[in-house]
């Protein structure tokens, strides 16, 4: 099997990458408004965030679903693109950003009611090429020129809000771009990442000055200087990590294929394997308001980290899970291939 075919196969294991599995070509979808649907909360939803008290969920075909009453009722937001959206973050009740396929970055300044485009794959490729030329690396220039020639077909998969108007977006084939002005202009961070194979970056997390990036083939990149430089962290697993969390600046949890979960409490110097009861790929993690680490898998189970093992919280499986939205004083919201669903869990704390 070729390297590309293998990477395509791995990508197709996740609902967050449907465009790599034979979905509608990205190009036309970039310019087409999101598909209007009767029940946006029943679409394939991939991620969600809180904009104040409002829930903002994103998913396939550019759908953004909004709820102002704790997920009881939903309506659809106005979105200028119909590519699948993979992640969303809000800095406060008004200002938020979302990323998705085709190198798409969207911004909202009204709590998710309306969205405007801040980046697409063509602009992203040009920023990568500009950085490669400035660095004088002939190989990097060649690869960036190929990226530009490919067109806007590379998905962005996660984003970080770095404070103020600063944000970082990451995605397939090692894409990593940052903006200091809310997305008006962009700079490539790819030259500062030790990722010569251009491996996919699935997850980005921050705590204090520490930035963590995780991706395919065991790729883990760590910065302890707010992203000015990164080093590669070795782990005992060489499969893909689809999610990651920083429980502390030195406390790292990685999760991915077949439920593989690793934890390091010393910044990646040493790792322990976390026992997981269900060998299904973990597609998302989140930190609950009480500080617990939660994980969701393709088998439809939500789990909580207790010591060196994961404990299932729901007795009956949900549809395959793409994301989690913990909410203080409210039920956990699960983002599934059948929409947004309340995760009826019975958390049990270790005594």
């Amino acid at each position: 099997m070729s390297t590309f075919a293998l990477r395509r196969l791995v990508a197709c294991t996740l609902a967050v990458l449907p465009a790599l599995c034979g979905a509608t070509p990205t190009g036309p979808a970039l310019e087409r408004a999101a598909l209007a649907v009767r029940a946006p909360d029943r679409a394939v939803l991939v991620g969600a965030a809180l904009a104040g008290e409002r829930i903002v969920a994103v998913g396939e075909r550019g759908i953004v679903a909004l709820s102002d009453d704790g997920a009881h009722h939903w309506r659809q937001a106005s979105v200028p693109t119909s590519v699948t959206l993979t992640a969303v973050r809000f800095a406060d009740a008004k200002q938020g950003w979302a990323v998705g396929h085709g190198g798409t970055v969207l911004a909202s300044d009204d709590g998710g009611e309306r969205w405007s485009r801040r980046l697409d794959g063509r602009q992203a490729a040009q920023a990568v090429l500009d950085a490669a030329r400035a660095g004088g690396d002939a190989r990097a220039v060649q690869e960036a020129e190929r990226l530009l020639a490919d067109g806007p077909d590379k998905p962005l998969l996660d984003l970080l809000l770095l404070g103020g108007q600063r944000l970082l977006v990451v995605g397939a084939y090692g894409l990593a771009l940052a903006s200091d002005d809310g997305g008006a202009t962009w700079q490539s961070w790819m030259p500062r990442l030790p990722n010569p194979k251009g491996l996919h970056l699935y997850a980005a997390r921050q705590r204090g000055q520490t930035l963590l990036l995780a991706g395919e083939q065991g790729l883990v990149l760590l910065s302890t200087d707010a992203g000015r430089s990164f080093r590669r962290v070795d782990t005992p697993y060489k499969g893909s990590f689809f999610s990651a969390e920083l429980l502390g600046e030195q406390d790292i949890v990685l999760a991915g294929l077949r439920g593989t979960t690793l934890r390091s409490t010393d910044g990646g110097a040493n790792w322990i394997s976390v026992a997981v009861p269900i060998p299904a790929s973990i597609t998302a993690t989140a930190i609950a308001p009480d500080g617990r680490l939660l994980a969701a898998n393709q088998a439809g189970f939500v789990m909580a980290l207790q010591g060196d093992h994961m404990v299932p919280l729901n007795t009956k499986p949900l549809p395959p899970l793409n994301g989690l939205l913990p909410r203080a004083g409210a039920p956990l919201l699960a983002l599934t291939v059948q929409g947004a669903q309340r995760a009826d869990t019975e958390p049990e704390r270790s005594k």
Side-chain angles (χ1 to χ4, degrees), residues 75-306:
R75 67 184 188 282
Q76 188 172 356
S78 174
V79 179
T81 184
S82 60
V83 298
T84 293
L85 301 175
T86 56
V88 60
R89 304 278 186 269
F90 271 79
D92 52 39
K94 295 295 184 181
Q95 188 69 60
W97 291 266
V99 298
H101 287 228
T104 298
V105 179
L106 304 175
S108 173
D109 60 6
D110 59 5
E113 295 282 358
R114 289 172 295 275
W115 297 81
S116 59
R117 190 171 10 247
R118 291 290 185 268
L119 183 73
D120 64 29
R122 305 178 192 92
Q123 298 163 319
Q126 187 61 56
V128 172
L129 179 57
D130 292 344
R133 286 173 173 166
D137 184 331
R139 179 181 175 184
V141 170
Q142 185 179 35
E143 292 175 349
E145 289 174 340
R146 185 179 301 115
L147 179 68
L148 189 62
D150 284 347
D153 63 347
K154 309 297 188 295
L156 295 173
L157 302 171
D158 207 355
L159 74 156
L160 283 178
L161 305 186
L162 301 174
Q165 293 290 296
R166 300 177 59 239
L167 60 151
L168 171 69
V169 299
V170 300
Y173 300 94
L175 282 175
L177 298 107
S179 175
D180 293 330
D181 51 18
T185 60
W186 294 88
Q187 306 81 41
S188 174
W189 273 24
M190 293 170 71
R192 70 183 72 181
L193 303 183
N195 183 18
K197 295 182 180 180
L199 300 176
H200 301 331
L201 297 170
Y202 291 116
R205 298 291 188 271
Q206 179 191 25
R207 184 178 286 266
Q209 296 292 299
T210 300
L211 271 63
L212 172 67
L213 307 179
E216 70 171 327
Q217 297 182 27
L219 179 66
V220 180
L221 304 176
L222 193 67
S223 170
T224 56
D225 57 9
R228 288 183 290 275
S229 63
F230 286 82
R231 62 180 175 88
R232 185 155 185 168
V233 177
D234 291 328
T235 77
Y237 182 64
K238 300 308 176 187
S240 291
F241 295 116
F242 298 129
S243 196
E245 295 295 341
L246 285 165
L247 302 184
E249 292 193 27
Q250 296 286 312
D251 195 346
I252 304 168
V253 176
L254 308 168
L257 275 176
R258 294 183 290 276
T260 301
T261 304
L262 301 177
R263 184 177 187 179
S264 172
T265 57
D266 55 11
N270 297 282
W271 296 89
I272 62 168
S273 180
V274 175
V276 177
I278 305 162
S281 291
I282 292 175
T283 53
T285 55
I287 298 176
D290 63 5
R292 290 179 303 156
L293 174 70
L294 305 178
N297 67 20
Q298 286 188 309
F301 284 93
V302 179
M303 301 173 289
L305 179 64
Q306 291 188 6

